[in-house]
C-alpha cells in the first residue's frame, strides 16, 4: 500500500441485526485518510460514526468490505492494526485514585511497552499535564481528564490517533486547550481522525472532511473546498441532506 495513505476503507458495509430487523449502519463506505492529516468524520446522531470507529477499534465486526490501517489488513493482521491505532473514547474511563503518571504506566504495561521504551513524561508534556503528573486524577478538571484520555491513547506511540467526539460536554476554554493538544500531536507527525458533530470545530481543525449521513458517505473533500461555496459547514450539510432527500423521493 502507498505509504502516504494511513487508512484505506473499501466498500465497507455494516448491518446490525436487532430484534429480527436489519439496521444498515454503514452503506458501502470507501475512503482514504492521508498520512499526516487531520481528517474529520462528521455526521448527525445515528449517521454511523461510532460504528465506523468501533470497526477500526476491533470491537464491532464489519459485515463486509476491506480495511487497511498503516499497511495492515484488519482481517489478517488485527494485532498490528491495534498497535497502529490510538483511540480516545467519548467516555472518561480513568481511575480517579491513580495519578496521570501511574495511569499511563499501567496503560503502557497493557500494551506490552517495555519499561525502557516508555515515554510517559514526554506524553505528559505533549498533553500539557506535566504539572499534574502525580496528582490524584479525581482532582483534575474535565478538560485535563480529556487530555489524559488522549495521553493514554498515545502510550504505544501509534502513528494514527482516533478521537471519538472528544469535546462533547467540554466548555469552550477547555475545548480550545484540547484542540491545541491535538494540533501539537499532529505537528509531531501523528495522523488524526476526528469525529464530531460540532461543525465549527471540524472546520477549524480538519484538513479534509468526510460527511456521513444515515450510513452513506455524502461528501469527502478538503475543508477549504467544502466551504468554497458555502458560508459554513452547517450550510454544506443542509444542502447535502436536501439533495439526498430529493434523490430518495
Ligand atoms: P453515530 O455514532 O453517528 O451516532 P452509530 O454508529 O451509533 O451512529 O449508529 C448508526 C446506526 O446503527 C443507528 O441507526 C443505530 O441505531 C444503529 N446501531 C448502532 N449500534 C447498534 C447495535 N449494537 N445494534 C443495532 N443497531 C445499532
Amino acid at each position: 500500500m502507498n505509504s502516504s495513505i494511513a487508512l484505506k476503507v473499501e466498500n465497507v458495509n455494516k448491518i446490525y441485526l436487532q430484534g429480527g430487523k436489519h439496521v444498515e449502519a454503514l452503506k458501502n463506505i470507501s475512503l482514504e485518510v492521508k498520512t499526516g492529516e487531520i481528517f474529520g468524520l462528521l455526521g448527525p446522531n445515528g449517521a454511523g460514526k461510532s460504528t465506523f470507529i468501533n470497526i477500526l477499534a476491533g470491537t464491532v465486526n464489519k459485515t463486509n468490505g476491506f480495511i487497511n490501517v498503516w499497511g495492515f489488513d484488519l482481517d489478517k493482521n488485527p494485532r498490528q492494526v491495534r498497535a497502529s491505532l490510538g483511540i480516545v473514547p467519548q467516555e472518561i474511563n480513568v481511575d480517579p485514585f491513580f495519578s496521570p503518571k501511574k495511569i499511563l504506566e499501567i496503560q503502557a504495561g497493557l500494551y506490552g511497552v517495555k519499561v525502557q521504551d516508555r515515554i510517559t513524561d514526554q506524553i505528559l508534556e505533549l498533553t500539557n499535564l506535566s504539572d499534574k503528573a502525580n496528582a490524584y486524577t479525581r482532582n483534575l478538571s474535565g478538560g485535563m481528564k480529556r487530555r489524559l484520555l488522549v495521553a493514554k491513547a498515545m502510550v504505544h506511540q501509534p502513528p494514527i490517533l482516533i478521537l471519538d467526539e472528544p469535546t462533547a460536554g467540554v466548555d469552550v476554554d477547555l475545548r480550545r486547550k484540547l484542540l491545541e493538544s491535538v494540533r501539537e500531536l499532529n505537528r509531531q507527525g501523528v495522523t488524526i481522525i476526528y469525529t464530531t458533530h460540532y461543525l465549527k470545530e471540524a472546520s477549524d481543525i480538519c484538513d479534509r472532511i468526510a460527511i456521513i449521513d444515515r450510513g452513506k458517505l455524502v461528501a469527502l473533500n478538503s475543508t477549504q473546498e467544502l466551504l468554497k461555496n458555502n458560508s459554513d459547514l452547517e450550510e454544506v450539510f443542509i444542502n447535502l441532506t436536501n439533495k439526498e432527500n430529493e434523490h430518495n423521493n
Side-chain angles (χ1 to χ4, degrees):
M1 193 172 80
N2 188 334
S3 63
S4 65
I5 302 299
L7 167 70
K8 189 177 172 74
V9 173
E10 260 177 8
N11 305 324
V12 166
N13 288 284
K14 174 64 192 178
I15 300 170
Y16 290 106
L17 190 60
Q18 195 181 40
K21 271 182 33 187
H22 288 111
V23 181
E24 266 189 285
L26 293 178
K27 299 175 188 163
N28 216 29
I29 298 282
S30 296
L31 57 82
E32 286 179 355
V33 175
K34 296 175 191 164
T35 301
E37 73 178 343
I38 302 186
F39 184 90
L41 183 67
L42 266 64
N45 279 334
K49 303 182 296 298
S50 302
T51 299
F52 184 83
I53 294 199
N54 291 338
I55 289 173
L56 293 178
T59 56
V60 167
N61 289 322
K62 59 186 161 53
T63 303
N64 53 37
F66 162 92
I67 293 179
N68 188 297
V69 180
W70 209 247
F72 300 108
D73 184 287
L74 177 65
D75 298 322
K76 294 184 193 138
N77 305 103
R79 283 188 54 196
Q80 284 88 339
V81 166
R82 191 169 114 93
S84 306
L85 293 174
I87 299 194
V88 183
Q90 281 178 23
E91 302 297 326
I92 292 176
N93 61 347
V94 285
D95 191 313
F97 298 104
F98 287 154
S99 67
K101 193 162 182 158
K102 181 83 186 161
I103 286 169
L104 297 188
E105 287 291 325
I106 292 171
Q107 185 75 0
L110 287 175
Y111 269 86
V113 183
K114 294 195 190 100
V115 174
Q116 67 268 29
D117 294 334
R118 294 185 190 169
I119 52 158
T120 309
D121 291 336
Q122 220 175 309
I123 297 175
L124 287 166
E125 181 85 24
L126 211 58
T127 47
N128 216 347
L129 287 168
S130 299
D131 56 342
K132 298 286 175 191
N134 297 307
Y136 271 134
T137 292
R138 69 183 152 142
N139 294 335
L140 264 51
S141 69
M144 288 173 185
K145 283 185 192 142
R146 296 261 167 203
R147 296 210 297 280
L148 181 55
L149 295 183
V150 175
K152 219 178 132 188
M154 292 303 299
V155 293
H156 57 299
Q157 301 188 57
I160 305 170
L161 188 66
I162 299 182
L163 294 110
D164 188 7
E165 299 263 356
T167 56
V170 175
D171 77 33
V172 177
D173 187 42
L174 299 178
R175 187 180 297 178
R176 192 178 50 71
K177 286 189 185 141
L178 184 77
L179 291 181
E180 199 34 60
S181 290
V182 172
R183 281 199 188 93
E184 181 53 35
L185 285 168
N186 181 247
R187 277 193 286 270
Q188 309 264 339
V190 180
T191 302
I192 311 275
I193 300 173
Y194 196 92
T195 83
T196 183
H197 62 268
Y198 291 109
L199 300 179
K200 171 79 174 73
E201 187 172 293
S203 56
D204 282 351
I205 195 172
C206 299
D207 300 311
R208 290 196 309 143
I209 290 176
I211 301 179
I212 54 173
D213 186 28
R214 285 167 283 183
K216 273 166 84 176
L217 182 70
V218 292
L220 173 56
N221 218 329
S222 67
T223 309
Q224 207 179 3
E225 202 53 39
L226 281 173
L227 291 176
K228 208 160 132 188
N229 300 312
N230 299 278
S231 56
D232 57 23
L233 277 179
E234 193 85 44
E235 196 176 303
V236 174
F237 198 73
I238 290 168
N239 289 339
L240 282 169
T241 38
N242 283 347
K243 247 195 229 161
E244 186 71 8
N245 288 338
E246 274 169 28
H247 182 76
N248 290 338
N249 287 335

